[in-house]
């Protein structure tokens, strides 16, 4: 399990990076955290001719918390964001999701933007980006564009980035102060990809302790993260005595899990509903993710 | 890097520049080589490596630091965990060329020069936290990072924080105890667990030199331990690094 | 007198090097050896039509490529059948490189040697092998059906068929007031040590000497096998198992193809060569275990007394059967556990499948056996409405009934006879430890809160310390340091510490002055290996015997020098001294020097031992006819039969009613391995076994698809437990029933922790959810479907 031969370039600027990608003519790969890419290289399941290592590119390591959003640069590690107090205060769902990403040592190195563009349907952060309606900013030698979350995820492990494009940042829009979030998942082992999981956002009328709207994005049970609006099923209900039966039924219809060696599709569908019910209760009551 | 690792007749890389080889080779065999300078356990090491050389292989086979073990090469087992600028990372998921200019601490960089074990190492010994010892360096390095982050963990936090390392021998019971014991001892001394242990013997070697070397260990370079570390010691002193690869292009000392 | 170290939980001598990165594992030993990569079959069953290496020749650092056809004739033969058995009528073993046919994914086909593993993999990737596909035989039932065959020339897939019977099981069952029959399945798993296999060969062409390092549990056997296959004198081959990063059984298999190929390559290429297996290779080319389909029929009376059992099982041994019938024979016999069963018939068939071969993995057939017997006990209790511990208690062999002779033949070919034990006390201790009698109340209270708690228990007896023998060598250096060697190797069991404890006690020296070397054939060439929980029993006793020889000699020398009766001398503080007069004595180091009459004095101590220094009798030879120079001793321990350790485990689990996830609340172990040399190390062994058992019961399986592809050949998908999956806190109580069979009164402890896992978790989960659990391991998904099928009370709407 040793990587195949490749060339390594270490650009210092975004311009140099995207030039290198363009020159790679479709055979280049961006290396940031490498926590997904390097295993694929070691197993020789990927064989790029050029690795464009963006870890030394200046200006990509920032976390910016604005009135509207949390903007995360391409080389920001999961742990950096997890530990960022202002980001957590602005968008608790980030940390709620990040603690489920593998293990601390992997989070020390893996990047937030990298895990988005890797587009693994079992990953947590793509679901968060879709839940929040965020976007990713990408740059190529001749172009610069913003890709909305819903357009970013094309298929399992396939994003809409072109091979010559570099994702330079992700923007996670902030939620209204009255919207609460929760993340629930069940993995075989702690830190594994979930058999099923969900991120939810619940809009609350805190004076009346009622729900005014709710949305969910599932993890590991859909090909790409997809927003399911549950407002119709939940609006008007009391925060502390939610009846989630209709929401769960709707969600189970909306997802499309498959069998694998760890769980059947039917179990995943069932489990997704259980996770949803629990996450909705967490968010509606303000309970911390268990 | 030993010349064995390079296509025969290759002149080797130029420091600071990538060098492509093998223009006559089939496209899928073309690779670049790179000059790298890495501060390892406080000592600057220079080498020329192929782009694909994993940090784990670089440490083990180019620098002779075989305490960093390789158990899976896909980032799951944690045996190869080292500190990169103070943060625990998988050496099998990093390229040697990717740590150019950075500071790495391995299991060989924890015990004091007088042989005193680092508090985490000592706790693993005292609590029988190891059996075959293959996973142990990874656990110790992970624990150093974990305890730097959380100096007073609960047992539940230890289990969560240390959950990225596999052990097949111990059933983890005594590893949990070892981390708990190490936390208590570190709390007494206030030592940064990512730094080389200072040692007990005031007479060991030249105190001034020893202290100077300690001061240059990567993890004491910055208060956060996350920033780039200072240069390694520019003096002569050999720490306990391995012998390096005979005949290799690995260099050390002043850059 | 110095405090006796036997029985003390002293910290380990081997820790320092392992904690500081100074351990020496095989892959640590060479940085300039040429490296091997193996082209392995991607297909489960195929004929090899053509191998084309042309493109591989472009790889710059390539050294050599070898296929079966390139091997000398002596290496073109199948590898040995290590343990023949009369019932093994159709044995097949693999070739070091495939000879025209591959029978499992991962089988070795081509060896590539290159200057680096990177380059070797580059070349291996560029070798094209053309195959003609054959139908794969995957799964025990497919193999039993026999419509497809793994080995064409055989009539079916049965390698062996063995029946053993005591009493008349059929008649006893037919006459019993109650009968029951059922099926129990156990899936495949594997040892998966964190250090993969590795072998490194150094060939000294000038001396004609081969030094082999292998990550093995049996270095002397590897040496013998390699010397034999390479047609070399044994004295020209040495094998060292340096630090070994876990074994758990898989490294008892030998010789692996690579253990033959690598030294051969070193000799023909004239260069150091090594092979370091990678993790994917380990999954598909290092052996597995556990897969069995088991059918039971039992007759019992109203009290739950077992009257007769008919046990029939199918054992999946994979594509080849190099290790013989050890695993199914262990299942056949150890099934009986601590119970007095007189009418018993067992029949098994060992079947070929197109999967990785099967050889022992920690527990070695016992986890399956205990799963069968303990599920049986639970089913009898359920049928009679009795407490599960009551049914067990009434069937236990009583402490005054030892030795208990069953009349069966064990895996070592010796009588299956238990030497000692106290099973009723074990059961009482376990009930106290886990709170058995109070559990019903706890379970009911939890149920009122909507929580599903369950408790299970399981008992086992483990034959440990199997023969034929091990040896020990003890030598007192003129420095006073004591050098100890035994030939078997260590994989984390702390042998350097426990063997040093034994020797330090016998010779009255400090633990730090004893240095133990294991696994080096040049230090002890007669040895068997580390398996079957035998190292402490076999080598421990051999070393004790050898140390006593040294003690006797030291006593004689001291007695002569001091002119004191040996009965008045004691060993303490590194001296042999007069009892009650500690200032009168001689240091062992001096006795070591005196034991070796010298012509040349190289230091002051040696001067005292020269021929001219001592007033010796000029009419006697300096070394007597019945004496040898040196203060050293070698001895061997060879028992008539195995000694039987025992234990009982209990677990309390909670099943999430919505997700069917299983959480472990309490785990309790009562363990009896006779006298404890080092309780801390024994506890560590038990912890590790329990951790592995948690994996085996709830997480780990080998997920083969119908094509024979292993779908989870990585640590991503083979779910070895992390710290978060093993319970925090395992309660352990020791019972010490000494073995009468060996001088130290000890029994083996290495495997015990893992043996009852499948049984104990199945029982607890069954107790929690109220439906039979007859197949292990079990995942939340599987449990969910079982509960759905049984229409068990479960929330299906997802309400928490």
């Amino acid at each position: 399990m040793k990587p195949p031969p490749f060339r390594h370039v270490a650009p210092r600027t975004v311009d140099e990076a995207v030039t290198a990608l363009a020159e790679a003519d479709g055979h280049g790969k961006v290396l940031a955290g490498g926590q997904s890419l390097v295993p694929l290289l070691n197993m020789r399941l990927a064989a790029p001719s050029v690795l464009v290592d963006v870890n030394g590119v200046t200006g990509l390591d920032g976390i910016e918390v604005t009135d509207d959003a949390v903007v995360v640069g391409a080389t920001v590690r999961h742990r950096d964001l997890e530990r960022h107090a202002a980001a957590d205060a602005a968008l608790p769902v980030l940390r709620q999701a990040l603690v489920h990403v593998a293990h601390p040592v992997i989070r020390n190195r893996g990047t937030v933007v990298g895990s988005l563009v890797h587009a693994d349907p079992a990953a947590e952060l793509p679901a968060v980006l879709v839940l929040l309606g965020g976007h990713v900013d990408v740059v190529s030698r001749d172009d610069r564009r913003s890709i909305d979350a819903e357009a970013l995820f094309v298929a399992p492990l396939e994003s809409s980035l072109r091979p010559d494009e570099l994702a330079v940042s992700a923007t996670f829009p902030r939620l209204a102060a009255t919207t609460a979030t929760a993340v629930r998942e069940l993995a075989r082992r702690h830190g594994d990809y979930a058999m099923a999981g969900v991120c939810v956002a619940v809009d609350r009328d805190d004076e009346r302790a009622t729900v005014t709207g709710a949305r969910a994005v599932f993890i590991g049970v859909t090909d790409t993260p997809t927003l399911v609006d549950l407002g119709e099923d939940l609006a008007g209900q009391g925060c502390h005595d939610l009846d989630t039966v209709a929401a769960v039924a709707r969600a189970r219809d909306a997802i499309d899990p498959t069998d694998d060696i760890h769980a059947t599709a039917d179990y995943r569908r069932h489990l997704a509903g259980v996770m949803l019910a629990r996450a909705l209760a967490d968010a509606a009551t303000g309970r911390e993710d268990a | 890097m030993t010349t064995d690792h390079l296509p025969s007749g290759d002149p080797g890389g130029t420091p600071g520049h990538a060098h492509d080889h093998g223009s006559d080779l089939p496209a899928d065999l073309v690779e670049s080589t790179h000059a790298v300078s890495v501060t390892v356990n406080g000592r600057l090491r220079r080498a020329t490596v192929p782009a694909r050389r994993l940090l784990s292989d670089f440490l083990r086979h180019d620098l002779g630091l075989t305490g960093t073990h390789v158990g899976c090469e896909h980032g799951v087992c944690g045996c190869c965990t080292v500190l990169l600028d103070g943060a625990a990372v998988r050496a099998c998921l990093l390229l040697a060329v990717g740590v150019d200019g950075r500071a790495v601490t391995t299991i060989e960089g924890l015990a004091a020069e007088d042989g005193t074990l680092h508090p985490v190492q000592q706790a693993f010994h005292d609590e029988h936290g190891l059996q075959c010892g293959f996973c142990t360096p990874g656990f110790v390095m992970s624990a150093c990072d974990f305890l730097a982050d959380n100096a007073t963990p609960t047992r539940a936090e230890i289990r969560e924080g240390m959950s990225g390392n596999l052990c097949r021998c111990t059933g983890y019971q005594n590893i949990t105890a070892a981390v708990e014991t190490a936390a208590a001892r570190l709390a007494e001394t206030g030592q940064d667990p990512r730094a080389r242990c200072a040692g007990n013997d005031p007479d060991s070697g030249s105190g001034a030199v020893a202290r100077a070397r300690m001061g240059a260990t990567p993890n004491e370079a910055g208060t956060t331990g996350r920033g780039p570390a200072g240069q390694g010691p520019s003096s002569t002193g050999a720490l306990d690094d391995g012998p390096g690869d005979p005949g290799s292009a690995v260099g050390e000392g002043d850059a | 007198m110095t405090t006796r170290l036997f029985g003390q939980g002293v910290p380990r001598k081997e820790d320092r090097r392992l904690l500081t990165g100074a351990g020496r594992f095989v892959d640590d030993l060479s940085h300039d050896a040429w490296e091997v990569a193996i082209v392995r079959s991607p297909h489960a069953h195929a004929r090899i039509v053509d191998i084309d290496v042309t493109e591989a020749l472009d790889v710059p650092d390539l050294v050599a490529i070898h296929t079966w056809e390139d091997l000398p004739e002596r290496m073109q033969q199948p590898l040995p059948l290590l343990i023949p058995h009369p019932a093994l009528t159709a044995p097949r073993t693999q070739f070091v490189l495939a000879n025209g046919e591959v029978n499992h994914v991962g089988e070795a086909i081509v060896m590539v040697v290159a200057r680096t593993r990177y380059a070797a993999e580059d070349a291996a990737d560029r070798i094209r092998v053309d195959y003609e596909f054959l139908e794969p035989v995957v799964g025990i039932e497919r193999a039993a059906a026999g419509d497809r065959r793994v080995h064409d020339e055989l009539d079916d897939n049965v390698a062996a068929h063995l029946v053993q019977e005591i009493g008349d099981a059929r008649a006893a069952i037919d006459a019993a007031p109650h009968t029951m029959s059922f099926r129990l399945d156990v899936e495949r798993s594997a040892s998966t040590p964190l250090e993969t296999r590795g072998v490194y060969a150094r060939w000294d062409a000038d001396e004609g000497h081969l030094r082999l390092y292998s990550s093995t549990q049996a270095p002397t056997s590897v040496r013998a096998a390699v010397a034999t296959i390479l047609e070399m004198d044994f004295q020209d081959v040495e094998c060292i198992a340096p630090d070994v990063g876990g074994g758990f059984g898989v490294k008892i298999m030998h010789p692996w193809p690579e253990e033959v190929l690598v030294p051969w390559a070193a000799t023909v290429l004239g260069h150091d060569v090594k092979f370091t297996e990678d993790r994917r290779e380990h999954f598909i080319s290092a052996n597995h275990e556990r897969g069995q389909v088991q059918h039971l029929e039992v007759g019992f009376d109203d009290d739950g007394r077992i009257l007769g059992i008919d046990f029939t099982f199918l054992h999946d041994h994979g594509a080849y059967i190099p290790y013989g019938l050890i695993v199914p024979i262990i299942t056949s016999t150890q099934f009986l556990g601590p119970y007095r069963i007189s009418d018993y018939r067992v029949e098994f068939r060992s079947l070929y499948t197109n999967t990785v071969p099967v050889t022992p993995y920690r527990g070695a057939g016992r986890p399956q056996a205990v799963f069968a017997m303990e599920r049986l006990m639970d089913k009898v209790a359920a049928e009679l409405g009795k407490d599960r511990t009551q049914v067990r208690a009434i069937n236990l062999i009583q402490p005054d009934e030892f030795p208990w002779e069953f009349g069966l033949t064990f895996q070592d070919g010796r009588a299956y006879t238990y030497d000692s034990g106290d099973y009723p006390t074990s059961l009482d201790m376990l009930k106290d430890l886990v709170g058995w009698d109070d559990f019903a109340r706890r379970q009911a209270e939890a149920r009122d809160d909507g929580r599903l708690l369950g408790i299970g228990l399981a008992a086992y007896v483990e034959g440990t310390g199997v023969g034929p023998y091990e040896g020990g060598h003890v030598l007192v250096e003129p420095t006073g340091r004591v050098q100890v060697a035994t030939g078997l190797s260590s994989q984390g069991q702390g042998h350097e510490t426990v063997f040093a404890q034994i020797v330090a006690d016998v010779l009255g020296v400090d633990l730090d002055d004893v240095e133990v070397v294991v696994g080096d054939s040049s230090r002890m060439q007669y040895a068997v290996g580390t398996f079957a929980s035998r190292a402490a029993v076999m080598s421990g006793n051999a070393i004790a015997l050898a140390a006593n020889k040294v003690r006797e000699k030291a006593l004689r020398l001291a007695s002569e020098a001091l002119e004191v009766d040996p009965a008045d001398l004691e060993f303490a503080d590194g001296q042999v001294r007069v009892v009650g007069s500690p200032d009168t004595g001689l240091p062992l180091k001096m006795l070591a020097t005196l034991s070796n009459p010298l012509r040349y004095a190289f230091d002051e101590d040696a001067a005292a031992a020269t021929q001219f220094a001592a007033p010796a009798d000029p009419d006697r030879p300096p070394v007597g006819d019945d004496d040898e120079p040196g203060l050293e001793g070698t001895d061997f321990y060879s028992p008539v039969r195995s000694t039987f350790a025992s234990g009982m485990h209990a677990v309390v689990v909670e099943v999430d009613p919505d997700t069917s996830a299983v959480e472990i609340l309490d785990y309790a172990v009562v363990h009896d391995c006779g006298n404890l040399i080092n309780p801390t190390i024994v506890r560590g062994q038990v912890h590790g076994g329990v951790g592995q058992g948690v994996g085996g019961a709830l997480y780990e399986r080998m997920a083969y698809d119908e094509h024979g592809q292993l779908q989870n050949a990585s640590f991503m998908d083979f779910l070895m437990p992390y710290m978060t999956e093993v319970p925090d806190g395992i309660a352990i109580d020791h019972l010490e029933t000494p073995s009468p069979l060996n001088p130290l009164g000890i029994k083996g402890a290495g495997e015990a922790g893992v043996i009852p896992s499948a049984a104990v978790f199945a029982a607890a989960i069954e107790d929690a959810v109220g439906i039979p659990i007859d197949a292990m391991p079990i995942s939340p998904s599987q449990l969910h479907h079982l509960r759905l099928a049984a229409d068990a009370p479960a929330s299906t709407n997802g309400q928490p």
Side-chain angles (χ1 to χ4, degrees), chain C residues 55-186:
Chain C
E55 282 187 44
L57 303 178
D58 289 336
V59 173
D61 283 339
L62 176 70
V63 174
I65 296 174
H66 299 284
T67 66
W68 179 85
E69 291 179 347
D70 304 321
L71 301 174
E73 192 191 346
R74 62 183 187 268
M75 287 175 63
Q76 288 185 324
Q77 311 306 313
L79 286 166
L81 169 62
L82 291 171
I83 309 177
H85 190 283
L88 181 50
T89 52
R92 292 293 181 276
T93 58
Q94 73 202 92
F95 294 88
V96 293
L97 293 170
N99 172 20
E101 182 175 327
V102 284
N103 284 305
H104 67 87
V105 171
E107 186 163 356
I109 300 173
V110 183
M111 172 172 65
V112 176
V113 184
R115 291 175 189 278
T116 68
R117 173 78 183 197
Y118 292 77
E121 290 190 21
D122 293 346
D125 276 358
R126 299 167 77 87
I127 292 172
R128 302 281 162 254
V129 182
D130 289 339
Y131 300 93
E132 176 192 333
F133 302 123
L134 302 169
E135 287 186 315
V137 180
V138 181
I140 293 180
E141 276 144 329
R142 178 106 236 172
D147 57 329
R148 299 175 179 180
R149 294 191 306 283
V150 174
H151 299 289
D152 242 2
E153 70 283 9
L154 301 180
D155 294 336
D156 54 26
N157 293 308
V158 180
H161 175 215
L162 183 64
V163 179
Q164 288 203 70
E165 182 162 17
I166 50 176
D168 185 340
R170 183 78 268 144
I173 295 168
D174 287 347
H178 307 275
T179 63
M180 200 189 288
S181 58
F182 48 93
R183 167 181 165 160
L184 299 168
D185 289 27
V186 178

Side-chain angles (χ1 to χ4, degrees), chain C residues 387-409:
Chain C
D387 184 281
R388 288 170 280 168
T389 61
Q390 269 183 355
V391 170
R392 286 172 171 85
I394 201 170
N395 286 292
L396 291 176
I397 295 166
Q398 297 301 304
D400 59 359
E401 294 180 315
F402 293 94
W404 182 268
E405 296 175 29
F406 280 101
L408 291 167
T409 302

